[in-house]
Amino acid sequence: MSHPSVNIAVRVALGLMAMRLVLFFINADFPYQEEGFLFLLLSAFPSLAIYAVWPRKPKTDFKKDLVNALRLTAVFSIAMALFIFAFYAFADTNYFPNTTDVIISRELSANPDLNQEELRKNVTEFFSIRNFSVLATIFFLAMSFFYSLLFSALKKVVIK
């Protein structure tokens, strides 16, 4: 097995996917459940980047470390972005309509003079599964690049 193994990123992604699906299908409603999942999801990026650049024999240079870390974190990013799209499109189909209703009710309570039909149209167009998935993909890939660059540079500075 070569280091770093892409299988590790896939296993981490599959573990998070399985956890999220199990919690959804058993109707678990723990306090801060969504925030906890988001924390685990976001903490996987630095963990995978550290795993990818962890010193082993033979020594690698900055570019090789960056490519290795980016490969692992990008695989994880794409896998999780696809899962998030599929999860909200097929499993938790009520999330976006319910959140849209909450957003609209808050806007109308803050400003009752707003046109409700136009507000609903605008919120529904902006707050959609497609837009959310695109933004999540961009954000995940940006995090992949950031953590890959950060930990590759830290390794170069700390371990000379």
Side-chain angles (χ1 to χ4, degrees), residues 23-131:
L23 288 174
F24 176 74
F25 285 118
I26 65 169
N27 291 326
D29 192 21
F30 303 117
Y32 304 108
Q33 175 180 320
E34 296 295 327
E35 292 84 357
F37 177 74
L38 184 62
F39 174 76
L40 291 175
L41 174 68
L42 296 179
S43 66
F45 287 99
S47 302
L48 287 170
I50 290 170
Y51 162 73
V53 301
W54 197 258
R56 288 181 172 75
K57 303 274 188 224
K59 288 192 173 193
T60 55
D61 61 344
F62 174 77
K63 182 180 174 186
K64 184 75 171 165
D65 285 338
L66 179 64
V67 168
N68 285 338
L70 194 54
R71 183 174 47 127
L72 253 62
T73 55
V75 166
F76 178 77
S77 296
I78 299 300
M80 290 310 295
L82 290 172
F83 170 74
I84 286 173
F85 175 77
F87 179 75
Y88 287 117
F90 302 112
D92 194 1
T93 56
N94 293 328
Y95 177 78
F96 279 90
N98 290 344
T99 306
T100 299
D101 291 341
V102 168
I103 292 169
I104 291 170
S105 67
R106 287 181 181 166
E107 286 296 318
L108 287 175
S109 67
N111 187 358
D113 298 333
L114 291 173
N115 183 350
Q116 187 170 359
E117 291 81 25
E118 187 173 329
L119 178 64
R120 178 168 295 282
K121 178 181 168 273
N122 291 339
V123 170
T124 306
E125 284 177 3
F126 179 74
F127 191 68
S128 66
I129 296 172
R130 182 196 56 175
N131 289 349

